[in-house]
Amino acid sequence: MLFLAGKGDTSIRFYDVTESTPFFKECSKVVCQSQHKGVGLVRKRALDVMGCEVNRVLQLTQEGVVPVSYEVPRKVQRVSLNPSMSKPVSKKRSEDTAVEEKKEPRVPETPNQK
C-alpha cells in the first residue's frame, strides 16, 4: 500500500503496489474541502480489524485533524489483495497427522531434586 499526499494539496491518493506491470495501481482518491498541512498513519494496533479496516490516515488541516479510514470487505480481501491466499494450502498431509496422533505424548524431563 502506498499513500501519496502533498503539503497544501487537497487529495490523498491510495495505490496498490504489485510485483508485475503495472507496478502501481490506483485504488482510491480522497478529496477534502481544505488543504492539509500534513498526514500520518495510525498504528496497526489502533485499527478496527474486525470491521475490515486496513489503514487509517490522519489528515492535519487548518480546522483540525480529520481521520480517513480505508476498509476492505471481507469477501474481497483474500482474493484481490493477496492472490496467493485465494486457495488455502495445507502444509501437512492427512497421513502425517494420523501418524502424529498415534505417537506417545512427550513428557519433559525434570531434574532430580535432593
Side-chain angles (χ1 to χ4, degrees):
M1 289 188 231
L2 175 68
F3 296 93
L4 291 178
K7 185 175 180 181
D9 197 6
T10 59
S11 64
I12 300 174
R13 295 173 191 261
F14 167 51
Y15 291 92
D16 187 21
V17 181
T18 60
E19 294 179 0
S20 60
T21 55
F23 296 107
F24 299 104
K25 176 185 167 191
E26 186 172 1
C27 294
S28 69
K29 178 180 176 182
V30 177
V31 179
C32 301
Q33 295 176 358
S34 60
Q35 297 177 347
H36 45 263
K37 304 286 183 187
V39 294
L41 289 174
V42 175
R43 288 181 169 206
K44 294 289 184 189
R45 287 184 175 184
L47 299 178
D48 181 20
V49 293
M50 297 307 288
C52 302
E53 185 176 32
V54 292
N55 244 322
R56 188 181 315 153
V57 177
L58 295 178
Q59 179 184 18
L60 178 64
T61 63
Q62 191 70 26
E63 291 82 29
V65 178
V66 179
V68 179
S69 180
Y70 292 90
E71 296 178 354
V72 177
R74 287 189 190 270
K75 293 186 180 192
V76 175
Q77 186 172 6
R78 295 188 108 199
V79 178
S80 67
L81 287 185
N82 193 354
S84 64
M85 295 203 47
S86 61
K87 297 178 184 175
V89 177
S90 174
K91 293 186 179 186
K92 287 187 176 183
R93 297 181 313 193
S94 60
E95 296 88 26
D96 295 339
T97 308
V99 171
E100 287 181 7
E101 290 175 0
K102 292 178 184 176
K103 290 182 181 178
E104 291 286 326
R106 188 176 145 191
V107 179
E109 296 179 18
T110 57
N112 294 334
Q113 296 179 357
K114 294 182 180 178

